[in-house]
Amino acid sequence: MFSSNLLRHVTPEWVTLFSCIKCISRQCSQKQLKKVSVRDALSSKALGSNVRIQGWVRSVRSQKEHLFLHVNDGSSLQPLQIVASSDLQDRGLTFGSAIDVTGSLEKSPSKKQNVELHARHIEVTGACDPVDYPFKIKERHSMEYIRQFPHLRCRTNAFSALLRVRSEATSAIQSFFKDNGFVQIHTPVITSNDCEGAGDLFQVEPARRERKQEVADQEEKEEEGSPHFFSVPTYLTVSGQLHLEVMAGAFPAVYTFGPTFRAENSQSRRHLAEFYMVEAEIAFTRSLEDIIRVMENLFKASTEHVLTHCAEDVELFHKYVTPGHRGQVDLMLSRKFNVISYTEAIDILNRSSQTFTFPTEWGCDLQTEHEKYLVKHCGNVPVFVTDYPYDIKPFYARDNQDGPHHTAAAVDLLVPGVGELCGGSLREERLDLLRNRLTEMGLEDTYKWYLQLREFGSVPHGGFGMGFERYLQCILGVDNIKDVIPFARFSHSCLL
Ligand code: 4AD
Ligand code: MG
């Protein structure tokens, strides 16, 4: 490359410069290598190809000449085995560290995987001290333990599996609605109404900052007449239903899927202060049966999708977190869901030999203990309970105008292990009945716009809401709702 004449003039400084250039160009070519995910690498047929993998070390094992690392990047439950020279042993390749590896994909002699990566170059992108790291190599930590580390638990097998299932279930639900002609509506997070009327609302106002006196005076002048930012009291939404009902006046079928908030002072295993709800509203229906069919089909189609597309992740839960739960899921998928009336449900509870903590007289709301009993009574197949007492349902529920018990056309879906998964109803579309009820409740002025929906081109309609976290609990068999949401918010806890 260089003439001998020129080489005579090469000084040690030149040699250093050349080797730096060589090194930089090697790094450049490594950086240019095709990046692949662990998932794609594991299923790759391109043996011998050079690739680049970035991820986190899940295990380290050293043998005489080789170092074996398992690396995961969140794309699959199964890690990729990296085979490196044992010279690299003391280079900070510890459990939990982030690494950037280049090398060639080769057939693995082990039965555990088809492919492994023979490393040519490994860079430790982020070191991790395994002594201080709260998760320990080869230990299976409980869901309760990892819950203490909301900023780190996504790095565990169980929680990363949960997050993949959650993501896939989200897509499955979206596909279900798209395939069935529903239009997605982004209902607001901030609202001026209390859809459920249960009063468990979080109020929304700007935070009060330290302000200079003249700015404060100016702001107060602007606020004159109303102490509220939006001029009316506003809240985080407890349900997008009323906004969906608006849209059901122009579209035959709509849905929304977003965060919902309830200031319930509950530490239970099935309540959160912030949870995701899937809600649907269907126009031109006079029958609860139509709503029931959509709920059952949504549950079954989404679950089939998740079982197919996240088989390994779901299996992890069914094998290690709730052994035997797969049988329960298969049972739910293979059987038609039961339908009983609230009055029948009360009869079943009153005939039971079990003693309940809460009353079971006609007119009482069903509690978790009642719901779980009813599901067991129905052979652990989900059950729809219909036609609840009129007086315990919100203002929008359609009056059945029946007797001797006065009921509303409302329905809850109860499922094994969880109890109530969905709540829905036909909505009162008759202007006079709705106006009378709102007047009795002193809400006629607040809901003028809602009454107007019944004045202009009103149609009979109904819908439901499904708690997304409860759905995940139900299909995975997870006991505590805090373990199926990335960042759990509940009374007295808002970590991160
Ligand atoms: O039964 P709910 O209160 O019904 C409604 O909000 C209706 N407006 C929905 C509609 O018809 N569009 O809530 C629906 C579901 C419940 O069945 C439950 O699964 C879930 O939302 N849910 C909760 N999930 C977690 N934490 C909480 N605090 C929840 N409250 C309700
Ligand atoms: Mg409910």
Side-chain angles (χ1 to χ4, degrees):
M1 192 177 169
F2 299 106
S3 72
S4 52
N5 216 9
L6 186 60
L7 278 178
R8 251 184 272 131
H9 298 284
V10 173
T11 62
E13 288 78 14
W14 274 80
V15 173
T16 313
L17 182 62
F18 283 145
S19 58
C20 282
I21 292 169
K22 231 173 89 191
C23 182
I24 290 167
S25 77
R26 202 186 68 208
Q27 278 180 10
C28 281
S29 68
Q30 264 155 2
K31 296 256 151 76
Q32 280 156 7
L33 267 183
K34 191 177 168 225
K35 262 195 239 172
V36 292
S37 68
V38 165
R39 182 194 173 94
D40 288 347
L42 286 168
S43 60
S44 174
K45 301 271 177 289
L47 297 180
S49 64
N50 288 318
V51 296
R52 183 174 176 201
I53 295 276
Q54 293 165 323
W56 291 266
V57 175
R58 307 306 293 264
S59 75
V60 192
R61 184 164 52 90
S62 121
Q63 276 184 1
K64 256 192 221 150
E65 288 172 10
H66 291 117
L67 193 62
F68 296 92
L69 306 171
H70 278 163
V71 172
N72 206 312
D73 64 354
S75 60
S76 76
L77 184 62
Q78 211 191 328
L80 178 67
Q81 173 154 283
I82 312 279
V83 185
S85 155
S86 56
D87 298 350
L88 293 175
Q89 197 171 356
D90 299 322
R91 305 272 181 86
L93 294 169
T94 53
F95 174 61
S97 58
I99 61 171
D100 194 330
V101 192
T102 50
S104 61
L105 285 178
E106 303 293 345
K107 178 149 182 48
S108 173
S110 159
K111 280 198 188 117
K112 289 187 184 152
Q113 67 264 324
N114 292 328
V115 176
E116 59 190 23
L117 182 72
H118 291 189
R120 242 189 304 283
H121 180 81
I122 304 185
E123 185 186 303
V124 177
T125 315
C128 176
D129 181 344
V131 176
D132 293 339
Y133 191 44
F135 309 132
K136 300 299 165 211
I137 195 162
K138 288 195 178 142
E139 226 171 272
R140 183 165 291 127
H141 301 289
S142 69
M143 299 301 268
E144 289 78 22
Y145 177 77
I146 66 171
R147 205 186 297 146
Q148 301 171 80
F149 309 99
H151 53 306
L152 294 172
R153 69 174 170 169
C154 54
R155 302 189 195 190
T156 63
N157 271 347
F159 208 70
S160 66
L162 177 273
L163 292 171
R164 279 187 297 276
V165 170
R166 197 179 156 107
S167 169
E168 199 61 52
T170 305
S171 308
I173 288 167
Q174 302 277 12
S175 302
F176 171 83
F177 284 119
K178 190 164 189 288
D179 295 348
N180 287 283
F182 283 71
V183 173
Q184 184 179 10
I185 304 291
H186 293 121
T187 51
V189 167
I190 298 176
T191 172
S192 55
N193 62 62
D194 174 8
C195 173
E196 293 306 290
D200 41 13
L201 299 162
F202 288 106
Q203 191 147 2
V204 178
E205 290 296 343
R208 287 271 161 225
R209 289 160 291 139
E210 289 279 314
R211 294 167 302 172
K212 280 198 180 142
Q213 194 52 49
E214 62 269 32
V215 178
D217 289 347
Q218 181 59 30
E219 281 184 6
E220 252 151 50
K221 245 189 216 157
E222 283 165 14
E223 281 176 0
E224 236 164 62
S226 171
H228 302 296
F229 181 87
F230 294 104
S231 293
V232 289
T234 46
Y235 314 97
L236 295 178
T237 186
V238 294
S239 162
Q241 177 193 320
L242 302 186
H243 299 97
L244 283 189
E245 282 192 64
V246 168
M247 300 305 172
F251 298 92
V254 286
Y255 78 101
T256 191
F257 186 177
T260 319
F261 308 85
R262 306 227 173 151
E264 282 166 308
N265 195 3
S266 167
Q267 294 285 339
S268 90
R269 288 162 184 271
R270 49 174 227 157
H271 288 92
L272 289 168
E274 178 183 279
F275 61 99
Y276 275 68
M277 207 198 308
V278 180
E279 295 183 84
E281 201 65 30
I282 301 144
F284 298 99
T285 178
R286 291 184 189 281
S287 139
L288 264 190
E289 182 62 20
D290 290 347
I291 315 294
I292 285 175
R293 285 287 73 81
V294 178
M295 284 193 237
E296 183 165 347
N297 292 342
L298 168 68
F299 180 94
K300 288 183 172 169
S302 306
T303 308
E304 301 272 13
H305 178 107
V306 170
L307 293 181
T308 311
H309 291 83
C310 281
E312 271 189 339
D313 294 316
V314 172
E315 195 191 346
L316 178 136
F317 281 88
H318 292 169
K319 224 170 161 176
Y320 300 112
V321 181
T322 329
H325 193 69
R326 178 58 193 247
Q328 174 61 69
V329 175
D330 289 340
L331 178 74
M332 293 191 284
L333 292 177
S334 65
R335 300 279 288 275
K336 193 171 182 327
F337 293 180
N338 302 287
V339 184
I340 59 172
S341 69
Y342 167 87
T343 304
E344 284 173 289
I346 290 292
D347 279 350
I348 292 167
L349 296 174
N350 285 329
R351 282 202 311 268
S352 134
S353 55
Q354 187 169 319
T355 36
F356 297 106
T357 313
F358 292 92
T360 55
E361 289 130 43
W362 201 98
C364 295
D365 210 353
L366 297 181
Q367 304 295 325
T368 311
E369 57 171 357
H370 306 143
E371 293 169 349
K372 288 189 174 172
Y373 181 85
L374 290 168
V375 176
K376 267 212 186 110
H377 178 86
C378 292
N380 277 328
V381 175
V383 52
F384 290 103
V385 179
T386 66
D387 303 303
Y388 279 78
Y390 180 80
D391 288 340
I392 61 169
K393 285 293 159 188
F395 67 87
Y396 55 70
R398 192 174 197 273
D399 189 346
N400 278 333
Q401 295 188 301
D402 52 356
H405 292 311
H406 186 190
T407 65
V411 56
D412 275 3
L413 172 60
L414 315 181
V415 295
V418 172
E420 179 190 338
L421 173 66
C422 302
S425 71
L426 294 181
R427 322 305 188 187
E428 187 56 80
E429 85 285 6
R430 294 160 293 187
L431 181 62
D432 50 339
L433 290 179
L434 184 60
R435 184 182 286 130
N436 288 347
R437 191 161 200 196
L438 286 171
T439 306
E440 271 168 29
M441 298 170 99
L443 292 171
E444 197 179 348
D445 282 346
T446 314
Y447 286 111
K448 254 191 194 135
W449 64 270
Y450 190 71
L451 285 164
Q452 271 198 357
L453 297 177
R454 276 69 179 166
E455 284 176 59
F456 307 122
S458 173
V459 293
H461 62 287
F464 69 92
M466 175 175 88
F468 183 52
E469 285 72 25
R470 290 194 190 175
Y471 168 72
L472 294 173
Q473 281 187 278
C474 173
I475 62 166
L476 296 176
V478 174
D479 184 44
N480 197 319
I481 197 166
K482 300 173 187 83
D483 298 329
V484 293
I485 188 160
F487 301 100
R489 273 86 181 86
F490 49 98
S491 59
H492 307 296
S493 178
C494 185
L495 300 176
L496 272 64

